[in-house]
Amino acid sequence: MITDRKWDLVIFDLDGTIVDTIYDLAAAVNYALSSRNLPCRSLEECRARVGHGVRNLVWQAMPEDCQGDEALLDELLQVFMSYYTAHIAVKSQPYPGVVDLLKSLRAAGVRLAVASNKFQEGTQTIVSTFFPDVEFCAVLGGTKELPLKPDPAIVRKIFDLSGVDASRAVMVGDSSTDMKTAAAASIPSIAVTWGFKPDGAVPLADAVAHDAEELRALLLDK
């Protein structure tokens, strides 16, 4: 349950939670598909596939009759990564009120972290691009060393890096994956409804925020 106290550590998901990245992700997916004359995906189709790492995103975007072709997947993923890395922040933007929210949390002494299934380099690039004046104690994305969410390993790594006990931490995200990650790490969760997959997140969350001000109240008000 969410209790009436200030948290020492807030762990945020990235895509769909603090930054709207769907336009650049969709552009990279369709650039990769077009490179092999495969049918493109709509924005909503891409939105539904985000959240489980870029390899899974590209695989799900492929036509079903191609999804068993690992060589094709590797090729498309390479094209995707090359394009996305070069165009990672063309249309992406922080959600309204998020920058001020993060600054308010830091001003109140709350430590901030990011736990994303996006590849590590992309996670770091987006955070440093859009939040250059916000201090994060940990910015972790997908790597070979840690399994993807909802495995709680990434959250436990953040505990180690931050020095904050799990009893003083909360996770904020937009998907069921984030809520399951929090539950697996035995910490409370807050679902935001402005992201990519709120319908799956809300029923599993300990609390729900519909905008940045509501989220600020949940995280700071006693």
Side-chain angles (χ1 to χ4, degrees):
M1 296 293 293
I2 296 295
T3 56
D4 293 329
R5 64 180 179 184
K6 185 182 77 174
W7 303 99
D8 293 336
L9 172 67
V10 181
I11 302 171
F12 289 94
D13 172 52
L14 181 61
D15 300 79
T17 299
I18 56 176
V19 181
D20 185 357
T21 55
I22 193 60
Y23 295 98
D24 292 329
L25 284 166
V29 165
N30 287 327
Y31 183 86
L33 293 171
S34 297
S35 72
R36 287 296 302 269
N37 296 315
L38 296 173
C40 291
R41 295 291 185 175
S42 69
L43 193 67
E44 290 307 312
E45 286 176 316
C46 291
R47 193 190 311 273
R49 290 163 170 78
V50 171
H52 303 284
V54 292
R55 185 177 183 85
N56 186 73
L57 171 62
V58 174
W59 175 74
Q60 287 195 346
M62 294 166 62
E64 287 189 20
D65 60 356
C66 296
Q67 289 180 349
D69 190 337
E70 289 293 323
L72 176 60
L73 173 56
D74 288 340
E75 178 186 337
L76 293 176
L77 181 60
Q78 183 176 3
V79 175
F80 170 91
M81 288 292 290
S82 177
Y83 183 91
Y84 186 59
T85 300
H87 301 82
I88 198 168
V90 174
K91 292 186 177 181
S92 296
Q93 289 291 332
Y95 285 99
V98 164
V99 173
D100 288 342
L101 166 67
L102 297 179
K103 290 181 177 180
S104 295
L105 290 169
R106 284 300 298 132
V110 180
R111 306 198 79 184
L112 308 177
V114 168
S116 176
N117 278 347
K118 184 188 291 293
F119 59 102
Q120 180 66 36
E121 180 184 356
T123 299
Q124 290 176 317
T125 297
I126 287 179
V127 171
S128 63
T129 297
F130 293 114
F131 311 111
D133 300 324
V134 178
E135 179 187 1
F136 290 85
C137 65
V139 176
L140 300 184
T143 66
K144 294 181 180 179
E145 288 72 34
L146 292 174
L148 297 176
K149 299 180 297 183
D151 190 289
I154 191 170
V155 172
R156 291 171 180 157
K157 179 68 172 179
I158 289 172
F159 294 156
D160 292 340
L161 293 172
S162 67
V164 176
D165 188 80
S167 65
R168 301 294 296 164
V170 63
M171 186 161 189
V172 179
D174 71 306
S175 72
S176 61
T177 297
D178 300 315
M179 305 303 105
K180 291 175 182 177
T181 304
S186 300
I187 62 174
S189 59
I190 300 174
V192 299
T193 60
W194 58 73
F196 297 164
K197 301 178 180 180
D199 289 347
V202 169
L204 303 178
D206 294 299
V208 178
H210 299 285
D211 55 39
E213 182 57 29
E214 283 191 8
L215 182 55
R216 188 207 65 79
L218 286 169
L219 294 173
L220 288 177
D221 289 355
K222 291 187 176 181

